[in-house]
Coordinates of all heavy atoms in Angstrom, one line a residue:
M1 N 0.9 -1.2 -0.1 CA 0.0 -0.1 0.0 C 0.9 1.2 0.0 O 1.9 1.3 0.7 CB -0.9 0.0 1.3 CG -2.1 0.8 1.1 SD -3.1 0.9 2.7 CE -4.3 -0.5 2.3
T2 N 0.6 2.2 -0.7 CA 1.4 3.4 -0.9 C 0.9 4.4 0.3 O -0.1 4.2 0.8 CB 1.1 4.1 -2.2 OG1 -0.2 4.5 -2.3 CG2 1.4 3.2 -3.4
N3 N 1.9 5.4 0.5 CA 1.5 6.4 1.5 C 0.2 7.0 1.3 O -0.5 7.4 2.1 CB 2.6 7.2 1.6 CG 3.9 6.8 2.5 OD1 3.6 5.7 3.2 ND2 5.0 7.3 2.2
A4 N 0.0 7.4 -0.1 CA -1.2 8.1 -0.4 C -2.5 7.4 -0.1 O -3.5 7.8 0.4 CB -1.2 8.6 -1.9
S5 N -2.4 6.1 -0.5 CA -3.6 5.2 -0.2 C -3.8 4.9 1.3 O -4.9 4.9 1.9 CB -3.5 3.8 -1.0 OG -2.4 3.1 -0.5
Q6 N -2.7 4.9 2.0 CA -2.8 4.8 3.4 C -3.4 6.0 4.1 O -4.3 5.8 4.9 CB -1.4 4.5 4.1 CG -0.8 3.1 3.8 CD 0.5 2.9 4.3 OE1 1.2 3.9 4.5 NE2 0.9 1.8 4.7
R7 N -3.1 7.1 3.7 CA -3.6 8.4 4.1 C -5.1 8.5 3.8 O -5.9 8.8 4.5 CB -2.9 9.5 3.6 CG -1.4 9.8 4.2 CD -0.9 11.2 3.9 NE -0.7 11.3 2.5 CZ 0.3 11.1 1.8 NH1 1.4 10.8 2.4 NH2 0.5 11.4 0.5
A8 N -5.6 8.1 2.5 CA -6.8 8.1 2.1 C -7.6 7.1 2.9 O -8.8 7.5 3.4 CB -7.0 7.7 0.6
T9 N -7.1 6.0 3.2 CA -7.9 4.9 4.0 C -8.0 5.4 5.5 O -9.1 5.3 6.0 CB -7.0 3.5 4.0 OG1 -6.9 3.1 2.7 CG2 -7.8 2.6 4.8
A10 N -7.0 6.1 6.0 CA -7.1 6.5 7.4 C -8.1 7.7 7.4 O -8.9 7.8 8.4 CB -5.7 7.0 7.8
A11 N -8.0 8.6 6.4 CA -9.1 9.7 6.3 C -10.4 9.2 6.3 O -11.3 9.8 7.0 CB -8.7 10.6 5.2
L12 N -10.8 8.2 5.5 CA -12.1 7.6 5.4 C -12.5 7.0 6.7 O -13.6 7.0 7.1 CB -12.1 6.6 4.3 CG -12.1 7.2 2.8 CD1 -12.0 6.1 1.8 CD2 -13.3 7.9 2.5
A13 N -11.5 6.3 7.4 CA -11.9 5.6 8.6 C -12.3 6.8 9.7 O -13.2 6.6 10.5 CB -10.7 4.8 9.1
L14 N -11.5 8.0 9.7 CA -11.8 9.0 10.5 C -13.1 9.6 10.4 O -13.9 9.9 11.1 CB -10.8 10.0 10.6 CG -9.4 9.7 11.3 CD1 -8.4 10.7 11.0 CD2 -9.6 9.5 12.7
M15 N -13.5 9.8 9.0 CA -14.7 10.4 8.6 C -15.9 9.4 9.0 O -17.0 9.9 9.4 CB -14.7 10.7 7.1 CG -13.8 11.9 6.7 SD -13.7 12.0 4.9 CE -15.3 12.0 4.4
A16 N -15.7 8.2 9.0 CA -16.7 7.3 9.4 C -17.1 7.3 10.8 O -18.2 7.0 11.2 CB -16.4 5.9 8.9
M17 N -16.0 7.7 11.7 CA -16.3 7.8 13.1 C -16.8 9.1 13.5 O -17.4 9.3 14.6 CB -14.9 7.7 13.8 CG -14.3 6.2 13.6 SD -12.9 5.9 14.6 CE -11.8 7.2 14.3
V18 N -16.9 10.1 12.7 CA -17.6 11.5 13.0 C -19.0 11.4 12.7 O -19.5 11.0 11.7 CB -16.9 12.5 12.1 CG1 -17.5 13.8 12.3 CG2 -15.3 12.6 12.3
P19 N -19.9 11.6 13.8 CA -21.3 11.6 13.6 C -21.8 12.6 12.7 O -21.2 13.8 12.7 CB -21.8 11.9 15.2 CG -20.8 12.6 15.8 CD -19.4 12.1 15.2
I20 N -22.7 12.3 12.0 CA -23.3 13.3 11.1 C -24.2 14.1 11.8 O -25.1 13.7 12.7 CB -24.1 12.6 10.0 CG1 -23.2 11.7 9.0 CG2 -24.8 13.6 9.1 CD1 -23.9 10.8 8.0
A21 N -24.2 15.6 11.7 CA -25.0 16.5 12.5 C -26.4 16.2 12.1 O -26.8 16.0 10.8 CB -24.5 17.8 12.1
A22 N -27.3 16.3 13.0 CA -28.8 16.2 12.7 C -29.3 17.5 12.0 O -28.8 18.5 12.4 CB -29.5 16.0 14.0
H23 N -30.1 17.3 11.0 CA -30.6 18.4 10.2 C -32.1 18.6 10.7 O -32.8 17.6 10.7 CB -30.5 18.2 8.9 CG -29.1 18.1 8.2 ND1 -28.4 19.2 8.1 CD2 -28.4 17.1 8.0 CE1 -27.2 18.8 7.7 NE2 -27.1 17.5 7.6
A24 N -32.3 19.8 11.0 CA -33.8 20.1 11.5 C -34.6 20.1 10.2 O -34.2 20.5 9.1 CB -33.8 21.5 12.1
V25 N -35.8 19.7 10.4 CA -36.9 19.6 9.3 C -38.0 20.4 9.8 O -38.5 19.9 10.9 CB -37.1 18.1 8.9 CG1 -38.3 18.2 7.8 CG2 -35.9 17.6 8.3
D26 N -38.6 21.3 9.1 CA -39.9 21.8 9.5 C -40.9 20.9 9.0 O -40.9 20.4 7.9 CB -40.0 23.2 8.7 CG -39.4 24.2 9.3 OD1 -38.9 24.1 10.5 OD2 -39.2 25.4 8.7
V27 N -42.0 20.6 9.9 CA -43.0 19.7 9.6 C -44.3 20.4 9.9 O -44.6 21.1 10.8 CB -42.9 18.5 10.6 CG1 -44.1 17.6 10.5 CG2 -41.6 17.8 10.6
R28 N -45.2 20.3 8.8 CA -46.3 21.1 8.7 C -47.4 20.1 9.1 O -47.6 19.0 8.7 CB -46.7 21.4 7.3 CG -47.9 22.3 7.3 CD -47.7 23.7 7.8 NE -48.9 24.5 7.5 CZ -49.2 25.6 8.1 NH1 -48.3 26.0 9.0 NH2 -50.1 26.3 8.0
V29 N -48.1 20.4 10.2 CA -49.1 19.4 10.9 C -50.4 20.1 10.6 O -50.8 21.2 10.9 CB -48.9 19.4 12.4 CG1 -50.1 18.6 13.1 CG2 -47.5 19.0 12.8
T30 N -51.4 19.3 9.9 CA -52.7 19.7 9.6 C -53.8 18.8 10.3 O -53.6 17.6 10.2 CB -53.0 19.9 8.2 OG1 -52.0 20.7 7.6 CG2 -54.4 20.4 7.8
V31 N -54.7 19.4 11.0 CA -55.7 18.7 11.6 C -57.2 19.0 11.1 O -57.3 20.3 11.1 CB -55.7 18.9 13.2 CG1 -56.8 18.0 13.9 CG2 -54.4 18.5 13.8
T32 N -57.8 18.2 10.7 CA -59.0 18.5 10.0 C -60.3 17.7 10.8 O -60.1 16.7 11.4 CB -59.3 18.2 8.6 OG1 -59.0 16.9 8.4 CG2 -58.2 19.1 7.8
G33 N -61.5 18.3 10.8 CA -62.5 17.7 11.4 C -63.8 18.5 11.2 O -63.9 19.4 10.2
V34 N -64.9 18.3 12.1 CA -66.2 19.0 12.0 C -66.5 19.6 13.3 O -66.0 19.0 14.2 CB -67.2 18.3 11.3 CG1 -67.0 17.7 9.9 CG2 -67.5 17.0 12.2
V35 N -67.3 20.6 13.3 CA -67.9 21.2 14.6 C -68.8 20.0 15.1 O -69.7 19.6 14.5 CB -68.6 22.5 14.2 CG1 -69.3 23.0 15.6 CG2 -67.7 23.4 13.8
H36 N -68.6 19.8 16.4 CA -69.6 18.9 17.0 C -70.7 19.6 17.6 O -71.9 19.3 17.5 CB -68.8 18.0 18.1 CG -69.6 17.1 18.9 ND1 -70.2 15.9 18.2 CD2 -70.2 17.0 20.1 CE1 -71.0 15.3 19.1 NE2 -70.9 15.9 20.3
F37 N -70.4 20.7 18.4 CA -71.4 21.7 19.0 C -70.6 22.9 19.0 O -69.5 23.0 19.1 CB -72.1 21.2 20.3 CG -71.0 21.0 21.4 CD1 -70.8 22.0 22.2 CD2 -70.5 19.8 21.6 CE1 -69.9 21.9 23.2 CE2 -69.6 19.7 22.7 CZ -69.3 20.8 23.7
N38 N -71.4 24.1 19.2 CA -70.7 25.3 19.2 C -71.2 26.1 20.3 O -72.4 26.5 20.5 CB -71.0 26.1 17.9 CG -70.3 27.5 17.7 OD1 -69.6 27.8 18.6 ND2 -70.7 28.1 16.7
V39 N -70.2 26.6 21.2 CA -70.5 27.5 22.3 C -69.7 28.8 22.2 O -69.6 29.5 23.0 CB -70.2 26.8 23.7 CG1 -71.2 25.7 23.9 CG2 -68.8 26.4 23.8
I40 N -69.2 29.0 20.9 CA -68.5 30.2 20.7 C -69.3 31.4 20.4 O -70.2 31.4 19.7 CB -67.5 30.0 19.5 CG1 -66.5 28.8 19.6 CG2 -66.8 31.3 19.1 CD1 -65.7 28.5 18.4
A41 N -68.9 32.5 21.2 CA -69.6 33.8 20.9 C -68.9 34.6 20.0 O -67.6 34.3 19.7 CB -69.8 34.5 22.3
G42 N -69.4 35.6 19.4 CA -68.7 36.6 18.6 C -68.8 36.2 17.1 O -69.7 35.8 16.6
G43 N -67.6 36.3 16.3 CA -67.7 36.1 14.9 C -68.0 34.7 14.3 O -68.4 34.6 13.4
M44 N -68.0 33.7 15.1 CA -68.1 32.3 14.8 C -69.4 31.9 15.4 O -69.8 30.7 15.3 CB -67.0 31.3 15.1 CG -65.8 31.6 14.2 SD -64.7 30.4 14.5 CE -63.3 31.4 15.2
A45 N -70.2 32.8 16.1 CA -71.5 32.4 16.7 C -72.3 31.9 15.6 O -72.4 32.4 14.4 CB -72.2 33.5 17.3
G46 N -73.1 30.8 15.8 CA -74.1 30.3 14.8 C -73.4 29.3 13.7 O -74.1 28.9 12.9
T47 N -72.1 29.0 14.0 CA -71.4 28.0 13.1 C -72.2 26.6 13.5 O -72.2 26.1 14.6 CB -69.9 27.9 13.4 OG1 -69.4 29.1 13.2 CG2 -69.4 26.8 12.4
P48 N -72.8 26.0 12.4 CA -73.6 24.8 12.7 C -72.8 23.6 13.0 O -71.7 23.4 12.6 CB -74.5 24.8 11.5 CG -73.7 25.2 10.4 CD -72.8 26.4 11.1
P49 N -73.4 22.6 13.7 CA -72.7 21.3 13.9 C -72.4 20.7 12.4 O -73.4 20.9 11.5 CB -73.7 20.4 14.5 CG -74.5 21.4 15.3 CD -74.6 22.6 14.5
G50 N -71.3 20.1 12.2 CA -71.0 19.4 10.9 C -70.1 20.4 9.9 O -69.7 20.0 9.0
A51 N -70.1 21.7 10.4 CA -69.3 22.6 9.5 C -67.8 22.2 9.8 O -67.3 21.8 10.6 CB -69.4 24.0 10.2
P52 N -67.1 22.4 8.7 CA -65.7 21.9 8.6 C -64.7 22.9 9.5 O -65.0 23.9 9.6 CB -65.3 22.0 7.1 CG -66.1 23.2 6.6 CD -67.4 23.0 7.4
V53 N -63.7 22.2 10.0 CA -62.7 22.9 11.0 C -61.4 22.3 10.4 O -61.2 21.1 10.2 CB -62.9 22.5 12.4 CG1 -61.8 23.1 13.3 CG2 -64.3 22.9 13.0
S54 N -60.4 23.3 10.3 CA -59.1 22.8 9.8 C -58.2 23.8 10.8 O -58.3 25.0 10.9 CB -58.8 23.2 8.5 OG -57.6 22.9 8.0
M55 N -57.1 23.1 11.3 CA -56.1 23.7 12.1 C -54.8 23.3 11.5 O -54.5 22.1 11.3 CB -56.2 23.5 13.5 CG -55.1 24.1 14.4 SD -55.2 23.6 16.2 CE -54.6 21.9 16.1
A56 N -53.8 24.3 11.3 CA -52.5 23.9 10.8 C -51.5 24.7 11.6 O -51.7 25.8 12.1 CB -52.5 24.3 9.3
L57 N -50.2 24.1 11.7 CA -49.1 24.7 12.4 C -47.8 24.0 11.9 O -47.9 22.9 11.4 CB -49.2 24.6 13.8 CG -49.5 23.2 14.5 CD1 -48.3 22.5 14.9 CD2 -50.6 23.2 15.6
T58 N -46.7 24.6 12.2 CA -45.4 24.1 11.7 C -44.6 23.9 13.0 O -44.6 24.7 14.0 CB -44.8 25.0 10.8 OG1 -45.5 25.2 9.7 CG2 -43.2 24.5 10.4
V59 N -43.9 22.8 13.1 CA -42.9 22.5 14.1 C -41.4 22.2 13.7 O -41.5 21.8 12.4 CB -43.3 21.3 15.0 CG1 -44.7 21.6 15.8 CG2 -43.5 20.0 14.3
D60 N -40.5 22.4 14.4 CA -39.2 22.3 14.0 C -38.8 20.9 14.6 O -38.9 20.8 15.9 CB -38.2 23.3 14.5 CG -36.9 23.1 14.1 OD1 -36.4 22.2 13.9 OD2 -36.2 24.2 13.9
S61 N -38.3 19.9 13.8 CA -38.0 18.6 14.3 C -36.9 18.7 15.2 O -36.7 17.6 16.0 CB -37.7 17.6 13.2 OG -36.5 18.0 12.4
N62 N -36.1 19.7 15.4 CA -35.0 19.8 16.4 C -35.3 20.7 17.6 O -34.5 20.7 18.6 CB -33.8 20.5 15.8 CG -32.8 19.3 15.2 OD1 -33.1 18.1 15.3 ND2 -31.7 19.8 14.6
A63 N -36.6 21.2 17.6 CA -36.9 22.1 18.6 C -38.0 21.4 19.5 O -39.1 21.3 19.3 CB -37.5 23.4 18.3
F64 N -37.5 20.6 20.5 CA -38.4 19.8 21.4 C -38.1 19.8 22.8 O -36.9 20.2 23.2 CB -38.4 18.2 20.8 CG -37.1 17.6 20.9 CD1 -36.7 16.9 22.0 CD2 -36.3 17.7 19.8 CE1 -35.4 16.4 22.0 CE2 -35.1 17.0 19.8 CZ -34.6 16.4 20.9
L65 N -39.0 19.4 23.6 CA -38.8 19.2 25.1 C -39.3 17.9 25.4 O -40.5 17.5 25.2 CB -39.5 20.3 25.8 CG -39.2 21.7 25.6 CD1 -40.2 22.6 26.3 CD2 -37.8 21.9 26.1
D66 N -38.4 17.0 26.0 CA -38.8 15.7 26.6 C -39.7 16.0 28.0 O -39.2 16.8 28.8 CB -37.7 14.8 26.8 CG -37.1 14.3 25.5 OD1 -37.9 14.2 24.4 OD2 -36.0 14.1 25.4
S67 N -40.8 15.2 28.2 CA -41.5 15.3 29.4 C -40.7 14.7 30.5 O -40.2 13.6 30.3 CB -42.8 14.7 29.3 OG -43.4 14.6 30.4
A68 N -40.5 15.4 31.7 CA -39.9 14.7 32.9 C -40.8 13.8 33.5 O -40.2 12.8 34.2 CB -39.5 15.7 33.8
G69 N -42.0 13.8 33.3 CA -43.0 12.9 34.1 C -43.7 11.8 33.2 O -44.4 11.0 33.8
F70 N -43.6 11.9 31.8 CA -44.2 11.0 31.1 C -43.3 10.8 29.7 O -42.7 11.8 29.4 CB -45.6 11.5 30.6 CG -46.5 10.7 29.9 CD1 -47.1 9.6 30.6 CD2 -46.7 10.7 28.6 CE1 -47.9 8.7 30.1 CE2 -47.6 9.9 27.9 CZ -48.2 8.9 28.6
P71 N -43.2 9.6 29.4 CA -42.2 9.4 28.2 C -42.8 9.8 26.8 O -43.3 9.0 26.2 CB -42.2 7.8 28.3 CG -43.4 7.3 28.8 CD -43.8 8.4 29.7
T72 N -42.7 11.0 26.7 CA -43.3 11.6 25.5 C -42.4 12.8 25.1 O -41.7 13.4 25.9 CB -44.7 12.1 25.6 OG1 -45.2 12.4 24.3 CG2 -44.9 13.3 26.5
R73 N -42.6 13.4 23.8 CA -41.9 14.5 23.4 C -42.8 15.5 22.8 O -43.7 15.2 22.1 CB -40.8 14.0 22.3 CG -40.1 15.1 21.6 CD -39.0 14.5 20.8 NE -37.9 14.2 21.7 CZ -36.8 13.6 21.3 NH1 -36.6 13.3 20.0 NH2 -35.8 13.3 22.2
G74 N -42.5 16.8 23.2 CA -43.3 17.8 22.7 C -42.4 18.8 21.9 O -41.4 19.1 22.3
Y75 N -43.2 19.1 20.6 CA -42.3 20.0 19.8 C -42.9 21.3 20.0 O -44.1 21.7 20.0 CB -42.6 19.4 18.4 CG -41.8 18.2 18.2 CD1 -42.4 17.0 18.3 CD2 -40.5 18.2 17.8 CE1 -41.7 15.8 18.2 CE2 -39.7 17.0 17.6 CZ -40.4 15.8 17.8 OH -39.7 14.5 17.6
R76 N -42.0 22.3 19.7 CA -42.3 23.7 19.8 C -43.0 24.2 18.6 O -42.5 23.9 17.4 CB -41.1 24.6 20.2 CG -40.3 24.3 21.5 CD -39.1 25.1 21.5 NE -38.4 24.5 22.5 CZ -38.1 25.1 23.8 NH1 -38.7 26.3 24.1 NH2 -37.4 24.7 24.7
I77 N -44.1 24.9 18.8 CA -44.9 25.5 17.6 C -44.4 26.7 17.1 O -44.0 27.6 18.0 CB -46.4 25.5 18.0 CG1 -46.8 24.2 18.3 CG2 -47.2 26.1 16.8 CD1 -48.3 24.2 18.9
D78 N -44.2 27.0 15.9 CA -43.8 28.3 15.3 C -45.2 29.1 15.4 O -46.1 28.8 14.7 CB -43.3 28.2 13.9 CG -43.2 29.5 13.2 OD1 -43.3 30.7 13.9 OD2 -42.7 29.5 11.9
P79 N -45.3 30.0 16.3 CA -46.6 30.7 16.4 C -47.1 31.5 15.2 O -48.2 31.6 15.0 CB -46.4 31.8 17.5 CG -45.2 31.3 18.3 CD -44.4 30.5 17.3
A80 N -46.1 31.9 14.4 CA -46.5 32.7 13.1 C -47.1 31.7 12.1 O -47.8 32.2 11.2 CB -45.3 33.3 12.6
S81 N -46.9 30.4 12.4 CA -47.4 29.5 11.3 C -48.8 28.9 11.6 O -49.3 28.2 10.8 CB -46.5 28.3 11.2 OG -46.7 27.4 12.3
F82 N -49.3 29.3 12.8 CA -50.6 28.8 13.2 C -51.8 29.4 12.4 O -51.9 30.7 12.2 CB -50.9 29.0 14.7 CG -52.1 28.4 15.2 CD1 -52.3 27.2 15.5 CD2 -53.3 29.3 15.2 CE1 -53.5 26.8 15.9 CE2 -54.6 28.9 15.8 CZ -54.7 27.5 16.1
S83 N -52.7 28.5 12.0 CA -53.9 29.0 11.3 C -55.1 28.1 11.7 O -54.8 26.9 11.8 CB -53.8 29.1 9.8 OG -53.6 27.9 9.3
M84 N -56.3 28.6 11.7 CA -57.3 27.8 12.0 C -58.7 28.4 11.3 O -58.9 29.6 11.3 CB -57.6 27.8 13.5 CG -58.8 26.8 13.9 SD -58.8 26.7 15.7 CE -60.3 25.6 15.9
T85 N -59.4 27.6 10.6 CA -60.7 28.0 10.2 C -61.9 27.1 10.7 O -61.7 26.0 10.9 CB -60.7 28.0 8.7 OG1 -60.5 26.5 8.2 CG2 -59.7 28.8 7.9
V86 N -62.9 27.8 11.0 CA -64.0 27.1 11.5 C -65.3 27.5 10.7 O -65.6 28.8 10.7 CB -64.4 27.4 13.1 CG1 -65.7 26.7 13.5 CG2 -63.2 27.2 13.9
G87 N -65.9 26.6 10.0 CA -67.0 26.8 9.1 C -66.6 27.9 8.1 O -67.5 28.6 7.6
G88 N -65.4 27.8 7.6 CA -65.0 28.8 6.5 C -64.5 30.2 7.1 O -64.1 31.0 6.4
T89 N -64.7 30.5 8.5 CA -64.2 31.6 9.0 C -62.9 31.5 9.6 O -62.7 30.7 10.5 CB -65.3 32.1 10.0 OG1 -66.6 32.3 9.4 CG2 -64.9 33.4 10.7
A90 N -62.0 32.4 9.4 CA -60.6 32.2 9.9 C -60.6 32.7 11.5 O -61.4 33.7 11.7 CB -59.6 33.2 9.2
A91 N -60.1 31.9 12.3 CA -59.9 32.2 13.6 C -58.7 33.0 13.8 O -57.7 32.6 13.2 CB -59.8 30.9 14.5
H92 N -58.6 34.0 14.7 CA -57.4 34.9 14.9 C -56.9 34.7 16.3 O -57.7 34.5 17.2 CB -57.9 36.4 14.6 CG -58.4 36.6 13.2 ND1 -57.5 36.7 12.2 CD2 -59.6 36.7 12.6 CE1 -58.2 36.9 11.1 NE2 -59.5 37.0 11.4
Q93 N -55.6 34.8 16.4 CA -55.0 34.7 17.6 C -55.4 36.0 18.5 O -55.5 37.1 17.9 CB -53.4 34.6 17.4 CG -53.0 33.3 16.9 CD -51.5 33.3 16.9 OE1 -50.9 34.3 16.3 NE2 -50.9 32.3 17.3
C94 N -55.5 35.7 19.8 CA -55.8 37.0 20.6 C -54.6 37.6 21.0 O -53.6 37.2 21.2 CB -56.5 36.4 21.9 SG -58.2 35.6 21.6

């Protein structure tokens, strides 16, 4: 084996031992359903049972908190990504 091939082999072995950095991925979560009953006052008052509901938000796969008391993981929501419609009417953040 030549010095060049020995150096190349050693470099490849070292690279194989270096962990690959985790890459964050934005995940879009969408939940859909229908109104079961409505106790909302204001702009969505009168939305009938059966009206469509859709909620969407984005989470970062690297931004999470493990629960200390329960074996689960919670992901941080990007507040600017949140949207919700009820019966075709957009719900706004307070």
